[in-house]
Amino acid sequence: MAARKTTKKPNVSAEELTHYYREMLLIRRFEEKSGQLYGMGLIGGFCHLYIGQEAVVVGLEAAAEEGDKRITSYRDHGHMLACGMDPDGVMAELTGREGGYSKGKGGSMHMFSKEKHFYGGHGIVGAQVPLGAGLAFADKYKGNGRVTFTYFGDGAANQGQVYETFNMAALWKLPVIFVIENNQYAMGTSQQRSTSSAEIWERGKAFGIPGEAVDGMNVLSVKEAGERAVAHCRSGDGPYILEVKTYRYRGHSMSDPAKYRTREEVQKMREERDPIEQVRDMLLTGKHATEEDLKAIDKEIKDIVSKSADFAKESPEPALDELWTDIYADEVPQENA
């Protein structure tokens, strides 16, 4: 069964729609390959895949501008790829190799790119939220018009530090977009069992923070909501909350068998709501692309991902002296101490 067809005419060009399709497909194929490498023992430690949630980051990156920042949790590979980080470097870091973004010392959960304004995956639940507000504070201080996308999940939404951050962000009118990636199960407990409020974004009302719920399986809906949030923040009106309702197809991590939900539930979501299939349908029904065109894109993406896996396998492991690098900031010259 194909994904449910949309009746809404997309308010984007064929080029934009094709771009969203390519970006989501890159994330999907990359994560599938990551799962394979994990099973082969080439990726160790924790590994949290983003399969099913691709429309969230692709839609919000479509609303971002050069210089905007992003910070997220440990489910971070999709965010890296969406903001333009090189798949080779991401895959090499996943496998703990020297060619990775953190020189093989961070792994799946800890990668950064100053060039792409990506300030990490973070392994401590909710810890990235105050850090994201800090990034936004720096931008407000500099008056540069930039915004920060601060991603966290429905599970992290119950952390106390999140609400401390809401309070400060509202008080200081920080240009930060709090993105709640609500995949409905956190680590393995459904939202209905763990969260008293049906709409998590409404908690921001206590601090005077506006927001909205968004269909996170539809990249165009996410893009539109992202544009509203960005406009609000850039205008100097303070923070904004987006609760993006999405769905991950895999378990919380590669070690999670996900027995807390039925196979039928996951399959139904794949068949009726898959974000990539929805865009694929728009491209075909709108005559923006043919089946052959889409097959060519799929082959191109698979080649990119295969190349990234080969690069990772061929990249050497970090030298032992790398243990002592990137620990402290550059030393202050003695005369300025």
Side-chain angles (χ1 to χ4, degrees):
M1 184 186 298
R4 182 181 296 163
K5 297 182 183 299
T6 178
T7 57
K8 182 179 179 181
K9 186 177 180 180
N11 188 28
V12 292
S13 67
E15 290 74 20
E16 289 174 301
L17 206 57
T18 303
H19 173 72
Y20 304 153
Y21 180 77
R22 286 174 53 86
E23 291 296 292
M24 289 194 291
L25 194 61
L26 173 61
I27 296 171
R28 177 73 58 90
R29 297 291 181 249
F30 185 93
E31 294 291 64
E32 289 170 348
K33 177 62 73 173
S34 299
Q36 292 174 8
L37 295 184
Y38 188 94
M40 295 166 61
L42 295 175
I43 295 176
F46 294 102
C47 185
H48 306 80
L49 302 183
Y50 203 63
I51 297 174
Q53 300 185 209
E54 298 89 353
V56 180
V57 285
V58 172
L60 290 178
E61 284 295 334
E65 294 181 1
E66 178 60 35
D68 289 341
K69 299 177 176 66
R70 62 280 295 160
I71 187 169
T72 187
S73 68
Y74 40 77
R75 196 181 305 280
D76 52 6
H77 315 154
H79 303 73
M80 299 171 197
L81 297 173
C83 74
M85 291 170 66
D86 187 351
D88 288 1
V90 177
M91 192 67 85
E93 189 59 41
L94 286 175
T95 55
R97 303 303 177 95
E98 189 178 81
Y101 269 97
S102 296
K103 302 178 185 177
K105 299 183 292 182
S108 174
M109 299 195 290
H110 304 289
M111 281 181 253
F112 304 82
S113 173
K114 185 175 180 181
E115 177 192 5
K116 297 299 181 182
H117 308 287
F118 179 81
Y119 290 88
H122 291 267
I124 305 301
V125 175
Q128 73 276 14
V129 179
L131 294 175
L135 292 170
F137 179 87
D139 286 331
K140 181 170 183 179
Y141 185 83
K142 295 174 182 177
N144 58 19
R146 303 275 65 87
V147 304
T148 297
F149 294 86
T150 299
Y151 295 85
F152 57 102
D154 49 300
N158 291 321
Q159 286 268 327
Q161 61 189 319
V162 171
Y163 300 100
E164 293 181 57
T165 304
F166 281 0
N167 183 58
M168 288 188 290
L171 187 65
W172 297 334
K173 291 189 178 298
L174 301 183
V176 55
I177 301 170
F178 296 110
V179 183
I180 305 170
E181 294 195 75
N182 185 353
N183 62 32
Q184 304 180 43
Y185 284 98
M187 283 189 68
T189 303
S190 68
Q191 180 189 342
Q192 289 76 17
R193 295 180 58 213
S194 65
T195 307
S196 61
S197 51
E199 301 292 329
I200 302 175
W201 71 269
E202 291 186 339
R203 295 180 181 182
K205 291 180 179 179
F207 305 93
I209 303 177
E212 59 185 288
V214 189
D215 179 3
M217 305 302 279
N218 185 311
V219 69
L220 300 185
S221 296
V222 176
K223 174 178 179 287
E224 290 172 5
E227 289 171 343
R228 288 190 291 272
V230 165
H232 175 89
C233 289
R234 289 204 210 283
S235 68
D237 291 334
Y240 199 92
I241 299 175
L242 293 176
E243 181 184 350
V244 190
K245 299 191 176 185
T246 183
Y247 194 90
R248 58 174 165 78
Y249 296 161
R250 301 288 186 92
H252 173 70
S253 69
M254 288 297 295
S255 60
D256 173 19
K259 293 182 178 179
Y260 41 81
R261 58 186 181 181
T262 65
R263 289 185 178 181
E264 289 75 18
E265 177 185 311
V266 178
Q267 188 61 29
K268 180 178 175 63
M269 185 65 72
R270 277 183 176 273
E271 292 177 347
E272 298 183 2
R273 302 287 311 286
D274 187 79
I276 299 175
E277 287 300 315
Q278 288 185 56
V279 176
R280 186 178 190 278
D281 179 65
M282 290 182 208
L283 287 168
L284 292 173
T285 57
K287 301 189 185 304
H288 303 306
T290 64
E291 289 280 3
E292 291 304 313
D293 293 332
L294 299 184
K295 286 180 181 178
I297 291 174
D298 196 14
K299 182 182 184 306
E300 179 187 352
I301 295 299
K302 285 179 178 177
D303 289 344
I304 291 171
V305 171
S306 179
K307 174 179 171 291
S308 74
D310 291 339
F311 175 82
K313 293 173 185 176
E314 294 165 4
S315 182
E317 294 192 2
L320 287 177
D321 57 10
E322 274 294 338
L323 284 171
W324 311 108
T325 65
D326 305 312
I327 299 173
Y328 303 108
D330 292 339
E331 290 186 7
V332 180
Q334 191 62 39
E335 62 269 20
N336 295 328

